Amino acid sequence: MTTFIIFDVEYRVDHEAHGRYLAAERTEPDAPDLSDRDPRATPRWPFRRPVAISWMTLAPDGDGIPTPVTMRTAGSPEQTEGEMLRGFFADVSSVVQLVLVSWGGAATDIPQILLAAARHGITLPECLQPFARPFDMRGRCHTDLMLAMAHGAARVHLAEMAAAMDIPVKPVGAPTAVAGYIEAGKWSLVKATAEADVLTTALVLAHHLGLTMPSCTVPMCDRIASYAVKMTHRPFASDFAAYRDRLRAAALAEARSSYDRLAA
């Protein structure tokens, strides 16, 4: 049966490397009239370096419903970029029937993980090796929920999808806050941000799986939220506790309504 690993990566900008790019372009760092879209003004993805990787493993329980088994986070300052990747790859390699899950990972996390692995000379896990062959779609084990949920519609942020589903999202801080956490050395908040995004993405996955797996969504969401509630060392535990309370209240109301209809 399929095991899911939901993952998220937080990054810092490598200004030293971007400076080398500016030198190659013969561009002064404070050059005027550069739009925010200009890569000389705003560093693009090759200059983003992983500072935290968080991943949750969900495996089928006795009832076949994917259930949290572990959540791990590797990050600065305790670990180097290479150590983070090796830890993540070790868990990915240990699962036989695996699907990696992300939100927007096809355009962000995957290429940046590949680049980071190339920088350190780290061999990819077997299931990630097809991504090194961009025109070979065989054997890929990644579901980008941003693409899967949108189908042919416009791609949206995780916060938009989660808000539409009444799922806790960005409880630690706005996406723009991460750079401030890094600058201030608040590494626990950087890690918590990645973990919260993993939990939110896992809840979105539960709704996505419910499209083809009857009666999967509510118990899966309850189990994910209950896992988050136990993480009392993180600032998001209370948000997921409130979400679980709403979920259970709605399920109880639905059960009572069904009973009343049968009794009528």
Side-chain angles (χ1 to χ4, degrees):
M1 299 179 75
T2 300
T3 294
F4 298 94
I5 292 183
I6 298 95
F7 71 101
D8 183 70
V9 187
E10 299 298 332
Y11 304 91
R12 67 171 177 85
V13 175
D14 187 342
H15 292 289
E16 182 180 350
H18 188 251
R20 293 194 293 268
Y21 164 67
L22 294 178
E25 292 279 18
R26 309 299 193 272
T27 303
E28 294 297 326
D30 56 351
D33 303 324
L34 293 181
S35 74
D36 289 342
R37 289 180 172 272
D38 193 309
R40 293 171 296 175
T42 303
R44 293 197 285 191
W45 67 268
F47 302 107
R48 299 175 71 195
R49 305 288 293 263
V51 294
I53 306 174
S54 183
W55 63 97
M56 170 179 272
T57 301
L58 294 98
D61 206 352
D63 55 8
I65 294 174
T67 300
V69 178
T70 60
M71 172 177 264
R72 294 193 173 96
T73 303
S76 297
E78 297 87 358
Q79 292 162 296
T80 65
E81 186 177 86
E83 289 169 341
M84 294 179 220
L85 291 173
R86 290 186 180 92
F88 177 53
F89 289 170
D91 271 14
V92 169
S93 299
S94 70
V95 179
V96 177
Q97 194 170 340
L98 169 71
V99 174
L100 284 170
V101 180
S102 70
W103 185 274
T108 55
D109 296 327
I110 293 293
Q112 287 163 146
I113 285 174
L114 297 183
L115 177 58
R119 271 196 302 266
H120 294 281
I122 299 173
T123 302
L124 296 172
E126 186 175 346
C127 76
L128 283 176
Q129 290 183 9
F131 289 100
R133 303 185 293 273
F135 300 107
D136 182 0
M137 300 299 290
R138 294 170 297 176
R140 296 200 174 187
C141 63
H142 175 234
T143 294
D144 186 333
L145 281 175
M146 184 178 73
L147 303 178
M149 295 292 289
H151 197 55
R155 300 172 185 180
V156 299
H157 295 297
L158 176 61
E160 294 176 89
M161 182 61 68
M165 291 182 165
D166 193 20
I167 291 171
V169 63
K170 306 296 180 185
V172 179
T176 53
V178 174
Y181 298 154
I182 294 171
E183 185 176 349
K186 296 181 178 180
W187 296 108
S188 65
L189 291 180
V190 175
K191 296 180 180 75
T193 298
E195 291 165 355
D197 280 357
V198 166
L199 291 162
T200 299
T201 303
L203 291 172
V204 175
L205 174 65
H207 287 272
H208 181 65
L209 293 178
L211 296 173
T212 55
M213 294 174 60
S215 305
C216 164
T217 300
V218 172
M220 185 173 171
C221 286
D222 190 286
R223 294 170 195 183
I224 293 166
S226 294
Y227 193 98
V229 169
K230 295 176 183 177
M231 300 174 70
T232 53
H233 61 296
R234 295 303 195 204
F236 54 67
S238 61
D239 295 89
F240 287 93
Y243 167 78
R244 186 183 62 179
D245 290 345
R246 296 196 304 271
L247 189 74
R248 290 178 175 178
L252 180 60
E254 176 62 27
R256 285 174 174 167
S257 177
S258 298
Y259 176 82
D260 290 342
R261 287 196 298 270
L262 290 172

